[in-house]
Amino acid sequence: MQVIVVSNSPSKRTEYFVEAGRNLQAEVCFLTYEELFNCLPSLRQAVVKLEPWVSSETDFLRYALLSEEYKETLQRLDKIILPGDVYFLNPPHALLQALDKKETKQILSANDLSVTPMLDTPRSFEELVQALSDYGRGCFLKPRYGSGAGGIMAIRYQPRQKKWVVYTTLQKVDGIIHNTKRIHRLTKEQDILPLAEAVMHTGAILEEWIPKEQLQGENYDLRVVCGEEEIDYVVVRCSKGSITNLHLNNNARLWSELSLSEDVRQRIYLLCRKAVRTLGLQYAGVDVLIERGTDTPYIIEVNGQGDHIYQDMYAHNSIYTRQIRTIKKKYDHADR
């Protein structure tokens, strides 16, 4: 049984996945999506792991078009009938569900899993102002599709004073809206309006702002890498602000550093494993918020390709190593 990892081009995540296979003396190789389409009809005895497209595009609207192209690729793959001994690790239809934050929340909520609540999605800046005024608390405006904090806007608005405070990765430079790798603080409506409109143009969701638990004065949430039955890794993502993604120069802390009860930890484990199964995934990275003062866990989103944790890759590469061991054990047995 060979294992194939697929993306549009090689990256650190595909490189370390192949390296984990090499260290296990397992047959693991990389293919592009074009190569995968060409070889699928004749492929035999293989497990295929689909990774997201790699892109250095910073133009937010152009990147949204690339994301659409990637979704179309998954939709094409979903229509292909695989030979009986070829499997997707995470099937394309499940990855498409996880890419759609709105659909993900609806599916999980329907299965009694707690998620960060959504408000009605605004279609214009005027509707956004009205929604924020009616709600009376801070909100997150996010692209409906995608991950990595790209395009996220943490918004506080005081309608009486017409005061804004927005934290976002977006920045408008020379008429082009760029997604950057740092957080910008905006307070002027004329600066905020074009960014919010761009996010809504690509499809957006509006989420309630739930206060996050803190560790040593910093807000934190969790990236829980897990399968249907096991937890592989938990990284604590800490930030002075509300956006905690680690590639934005935020701090990664250890799961063992948190003073959470064993009951809360087990509730988080159960919540994440059930979310993975409910979405039809085998592996995922589940982002979990713990509400300050109640220790109630909420799923923020589920990333069907969120099993890459650089702190682990560069140290022990244990996530990919265990994943490949599990794949070989499960599918070698299935084909006997």
Side-chain angles (χ1 to χ4, degrees), residues 317-331:
N317 209 11
S318 64
I319 296 172
Y320 289 158
T321 299
R322 284 196 299 272
Q323 193 173 103
I324 292 169
R325 281 200 186 106
T326 302
I327 291 170
K328 297 293 287 182
K329 182 178 180 181
K330 178 177 181 178
Y331 289 101

Side-chain angles (χ1 to χ4, degrees), residues 132-310:
L132 292 168
S133 301
D134 292 343
Y135 183 55
R137 294 173 58 188
C139 294
F140 286 94
L141 183 70
K142 298 179 178 180
R144 180 171 173 173
Y145 304 96
S147 60
I152 188 171
M153 301 182 73
I155 305 173
R156 291 189 183 277
Y157 177 62
Q158 297 176 350
R160 289 184 180 179
Q161 295 86 2
K162 293 187 177 181
K163 285 187 177 180
W164 293 86
V165 178
V166 171
Y167 297 91
T168 181
T169 58
L170 298 178
Q171 184 179 39
K172 190 172 183 179
V173 179
D174 296 330
I176 297 174
I177 296 172
H178 292 276
N179 192 46
T180 68
K181 290 188 176 181
R182 67 186 187 90
I183 302 295
H184 307 275
R185 184 178 186 272
L186 306 175
T187 58
K188 296 179 180 179
E189 185 172 299
Q190 64 264 32
D191 296 330
I192 297 163
L193 186 151
L195 307 185
E197 286 186 334
V199 175
M200 289 183 283
H201 174 75
T202 64
I205 63 169
L206 190 65
E207 284 184 351
E208 294 184 17
W209 189 323
I210 298 176
K212 297 178 180 180
E213 261 297 1
Q214 294 187 319
L215 175 63
Q216 296 177 353
E218 291 189 312
N219 303 307
Y220 75 80
D221 60 21
L222 310 172
R223 166 60 63 89
V224 182
V225 179
C226 69
E228 300 165 294
E229 300 297 337
E230 70 287 324
I231 303 296
D232 269 357
Y233 202 94
V234 182
V235 62
V236 182
R237 309 184 304 182
C238 297
S239 173
K240 292 290 186 184
S242 56
I243 301 173
T244 58
N245 299 71
L246 295 181
H247 72 283
L248 301 174
N249 295 321
N250 289 317
N251 301 317
R253 302 291 290 270
L254 299 175
W255 179 226
S256 58
E257 292 182 71
L258 300 181
S259 58
L260 295 174
S261 70
E262 187 58 27
D263 174 67
V264 173
R265 292 174 190 267
Q266 291 301 324
R267 284 165 59 196
I268 292 168
Y269 294 157
L270 181 63
L271 183 67
C272 293
R273 293 198 306 267
K274 189 173 179 182
V276 170
R277 292 195 300 270
T278 300
L279 292 172
L281 298 162
Q282 290 194 55
Y283 281 91
V286 185
D287 293 343
V288 177
L289 175 156
I290 303 172
E291 185 176 28
R292 192 184 309 166
T294 70
D295 280 349
T296 303
Y298 293 89
I299 292 174
I300 305 170
E301 60 186 76
V302 178
N303 187 333
Q305 295 153 323
D307 55 4
H308 62 294
I309 303 294
Y310 289 114

